[in-house]
Amino acid sequence: MTGRVRAGILGTGSALPNRVLTNADLEQMVETNNEWIVTRTGIEERRIAEPGEATSDYVAAACQRALEMSGVAPSDVDMLICATVTPDHAFPSTGNLVQERLGLTKASAFDLSAACSGFLYALSLGTSMIEAGRAKYVLVSAGDILSRIVDYTDRTTCVLFGDGAGAVLLGPAEGDSGVMSFAIHSDGSGKDTLYLKAGGSRYPATQETVAKGDHYLKMAGRDTFKFAVQAMVSATEEVLEQAGLQPEDVALYVPHQANLRIIDAARRRFHIPDERVALTLNKYGNTSGSSIPIALDEFYRAGRVKKGDVVLCVGFGAGLTWGAAAFRL
């Protein structure tokens, strides 16, 4: 009897804007300072897309790099999932735009909305499709241009976010490599913790919504912090138990890059040393769902993690949503 196909990560990719927005730049835009930002968030700078650029531009570049690393031809990809909260358009999906640009001629393509947990949601779906035998190769991507929905007069939020995209190509794993466990969760009662009020069917764009700033994201910072630490810890515990792993088995811990204090609180809970935590927060800020695949790609290409190593990714986001995944490269 043939065993179940295990999905594995065959390639990684990321793409970031060239423009850097430093804390010193923000000091000229809003009442804040470098010490305040670094102490409370760990962020020193972030990348910002140029006018005229869109989410699909960066997602396409990240997917292209993942394909190149894997050696899989675009025409062999069966599915493209794009996790985003800032799509190019309401429709067609950003996934469709990327599919056409990259020549993924037989791939189905669509967007997935789970905010900063989007990559983990998409990874679980792509893994399930491969394990069920419904697909052989799945591009899992996440990208956002958050600078388009950030209010740069609100110092509590504008210092946090940046733009970028990341991707992985999933395919049949070899040996003992592959996705070992994953968990995804949601709690709609926390919908007002982090949200974008206007632009949908309940509050369509009007002169009034624009004047009130309802097209900018809003966040309850303290509530988000409390939820985030609890979610990161519980999701990490869940996937470790599912996979039969101990924290010391993890070669690289890749958390959502939202806030250094949140990451440190979760890291200390599992006694994970600093050198085994992937951090890009200081350079890129919070890039939403793409922060995990960006960090994974950067650390993999830098040789900080290698084939055979166990990686654990964990994150949380608006919704509220949260999740984690453990896999062996």
Side-chain angles (χ1 to χ4, degrees):
M1 181 177 178
T2 303
R4 186 187 71 175
V5 175
R6 174 179 276 183
I9 293 178
L10 308 184
T12 65
S14 59
L16 291 145
N18 292 323
R19 179 188 170 195
V20 177
L21 183 67
T22 66
N23 290 346
D25 295 327
L26 285 170
E27 288 177 359
Q28 307 305 312
M29 301 166 60
V30 69
E31 185 182 349
T32 190
N33 61 73
N34 178 70
E35 182 182 2
W36 188 91
I37 298 170
V38 172
T39 300
R40 287 161 177 77
T41 71
I43 301 169
E44 299 171 16
E45 56 188 40
R46 65 288 294 149
R47 301 295 182 90
I48 304 296
E50 298 291 347
E53 292 182 324
T55 298
S56 66
D57 297 325
Y58 290 95
V59 173
C63 287
Q64 181 65 45
R65 289 167 187 160
L67 284 171
E68 290 170 354
M69 179 186 287
S70 70
V72 173
S75 58
D76 289 332
V77 175
D78 299 297
M79 176 177 285
L80 166 65
I81 309 171
C82 177
T84 183
V85 295
T86 57
D88 288 27
H89 314 285
F91 59 90
S93 74
T94 299
N96 276 119
L97 304 180
V98 174
Q99 183 247 4
E100 187 273 336
R101 186 179 303 186
L102 296 184
L104 311 178
T105 52
K106 75 171 183 177
S108 59
F110 59 96
D111 290 356
L112 182 154
S113 179
C116 299
S117 305
F119 174 75
L120 294 167
Y121 270 61
L123 185 70
S124 69
L125 177 56
T127 296
S128 298
M129 291 295 292
I130 292 171
E131 291 182 345
R134 300 295 184 181
K136 184 175 182 181
Y137 297 115
V138 178
L139 267 171
V140 174
S141 63
D144 277 301
I145 308 294
L146 294 176
S147 58
R148 305 285 161 77
I149 60 171
V150 168
D151 181 359
Y152 284 97
T153 67
D154 178 6
R155 72 171 189 163
T156 64
T157 57
C158 73
V159 303
L160 300 175
F161 300 100
D163 304 334
V168 300
L169 181 74
L170 293 176
E174 296 182 355
D176 62 353
S177 66
V179 178
M180 305 166 76
S181 61
F182 57 78
I184 52 173
H185 298 283
S186 180
D187 179 4
S189 68
K191 61 186 179 298
D192 296 328
T193 303
L194 181 57
Y195 64 95
L196 184 69
K197 182 175 181 178
S201 60
R202 186 169 298 280
Y203 298 103
T206 64
Q207 289 184 340
E208 181 182 6
T209 62
V210 172
K212 291 170 63 178
D214 288 340
H215 298 270
Y216 295 131
L217 65 83
K218 309 292 183 185
M219 182 176 71
R222 290 187 178 182
D223 292 341
T224 300
F225 187 94
K226 293 177 183 178
F227 155 71
V229 174
Q230 180 181 0
M232 297 262 280
V233 169
S234 65
T236 298
E237 289 176 337
E238 186 174 357
V239 296
L240 286 174
E241 182 177 357
Q242 284 182 18
L245 297 169
Q246 297 299 318
E248 55 267 28
D249 297 325
V250 178
L252 188 67
Y253 184 75
V254 189
H256 169 45
Q257 309 287 308
N259 183 297
L260 187 57
R261 293 189 298 167
I262 294 172
I263 294 171
D264 277 344
R267 176 189 65 79
R268 288 194 299 268
R269 168 63 178 78
F270 298 100
H271 306 289
I272 299 173
D274 289 340
E275 61 269 20
R276 288 199 280 130
V277 179
L279 284 176
T280 59
L281 177 72
N282 60 314
K283 300 184 293 183
Y284 309 138
N286 181 349
T287 60
S288 189
S290 69
S291 77
I292 289 175
I294 288 172
L296 175 63
D297 179 55
E298 187 164 303
F299 274 65
Y300 191 21
R301 290 177 186 268
R304 299 283 298 276
V305 66
K306 62 186 185 302
K307 288 290 186 182
D309 283 346
V310 173
V311 176
L312 193 150
C313 302
V314 60
F316 60 92
L320 293 164
T321 60
W322 67 100
F327 52 87
R328 189 182 301 276
L329 289 171

